[in-house]
Amino acid sequence: MTVSSHKVGVLRYAPAVQWEGAHAEQTAVFVVLADAYGARGASVTWADSRSSKGLALTIAAWLDEFSSRLDPDQHPEGAAPLINRMRRLGTSFLAVAAIDNALWDLRGQRAGKSVHALLGSHHQSLPAQGASRRELGLASAESIAELMHDAKAEGLLAFKLHLWGDPARDMAGVRALRTAMGPDYGLVLDPMGRYRLEDAVTVGRCLTELGFLWFEDPISAEDHASYPALTSRIAIPLAGADALLWSWNDYAAAIARNAPQILRLDPGRHGISFCHSLAQLAEAKGLRAEFHSFGPEPSSIAALHCAVAQKATSYYEVCHPQADFAVPGIRTPSTLSKAGSVSAPSGHGLGLEIDWAALEKRAEWIIAVN
């Protein structure tokens, strides 16, 4: 049963939590695939820029060309030649992910199963690690500590920091925050590729001393050659690379050289098929995957399904507060429990609860083919 119709639209919305000013607009791209019997699969892709309409046009053009050849029941193998052609022609990974994830949702809807069940479930729930967009704008360790105490009170069992990108200042910050949060609270540092190799070694040794969980993307993801050197000089596990600059072959090469030891993958923006296949490859080589899910909750839910389907995954990443990345009209099965965990989704497909009538009116539809 192939896809019989598709829609692509741009969603513009004001998040409930405002860090950048009252009613600061966010944008996401919404993709809908349907079969002849009325089953619908949907995905939301983070496209928070003025190029969101261009991304939607790209997705719509590809679907206009080949949607009638997409069979969700044969996904991902059946769509692989078409998606590989998109990649060969330089199409944005966001466009590929939007189509891939909508196909997974439609396959699950048709099968009456969750996506993680289709992938092979391994967890009933996962502990939650937090990250906050607000932290990126805070200038002192004291203000960040206040934010983290709020996150801990909400139930989050770990927290990922980004800090300021200055090694000396960051080391002072992580020492202060370890003291503020206590010796047992889970902490991660992600400098977003802003360190030089020698600085990363120094900071990495500091994080080992402080009992951080892992060290994420300390150097540029484009500096592939330095990852083995950094891994050999620090004891803390090195994670990379969620900057979305690596191809499948780049990740596979990293797995082969055992550096980094943790793959940081983003199913919402790279696609479920891409990330799940790499996570399985990593696991076969004794490494693990941790899934990046910082973005709109309906996009991040793809990461929850991949994480639940991966044996060696420690946390599911959620935004603090979760309302910061909620999209009006779409409810996600990623509620944080009082115990600090998120349950495996029980609904069909991705498990999104969509107010279709509201979104039909609110989305700026780029194209609709029937």
Side-chain angles (χ1 to χ4, degrees), residues 98-184:
I99 294 171
D100 177 57
N101 293 350
L103 280 167
W104 275 108
D105 189 42
L106 182 53
R107 179 182 166 188
Q109 299 292 341
R110 285 177 51 79
K113 295 181 178 180
S114 65
V115 169
H116 66 80
L118 295 171
L119 297 172
S121 307
H122 288 287
H123 304 277
Q124 294 183 338
S125 65
L126 286 169
Q129 169 197 286
S132 177
R133 182 158 43 182
R134 185 183 177 196
E135 184 247 326
L136 298 172
L138 296 178
S140 70
E142 292 77 14
S143 57
I144 295 173
E146 291 180 12
L147 178 69
M148 292 171 67
H149 280 301
D150 290 342
K152 184 177 180 180
E154 184 181 300
L156 292 168
L157 301 175
F159 200 90
K160 184 174 81 172
L161 299 161
H162 300 89
L163 298 184
W164 308 285
D166 175 85
R169 187 182 178 195
D170 287 355
M171 282 193 291
V174 295
R175 291 186 186 279
L177 291 167
R178 170 51 81 202
T179 299
M181 300 307 295
D184 300 322

Side-chain angles (χ1 to χ4, degrees), residues 164-220:
W164 308 285
D166 175 85
R169 187 182 178 195
D170 287 355
M171 282 193 291
V174 295
R175 291 186 186 279
L177 291 167
R178 170 51 81 202
T179 299
M181 300 307 295
D184 300 322
Y185 192 70
L187 294 174
V188 170
L189 179 63
D190 173 9
M192 302 187 293
R194 291 176 289 183
Y195 295 165
R196 297 175 301 175
L197 176 59
E198 290 301 321
D199 292 329
V201 171
T202 302
V203 176
R205 290 171 177 170
C206 175
L207 299 180
T208 301
E209 173 193 334
L210 296 173
F212 271 53
L213 297 171
W214 68 78
F215 193 15
E216 183 172 324
D217 288 341
I219 59 177
S220 172

Side-chain angles (χ1 to χ4, degrees), residues 12 18 28 97 188 192 248 252-254 298 313 332 337 345 354:
R12 305 183 188 280
Q18 297 287 338
V188 170
M192 302 187 293
W248 200 95
T313 293
T332 58
S337 75
I354 299 173

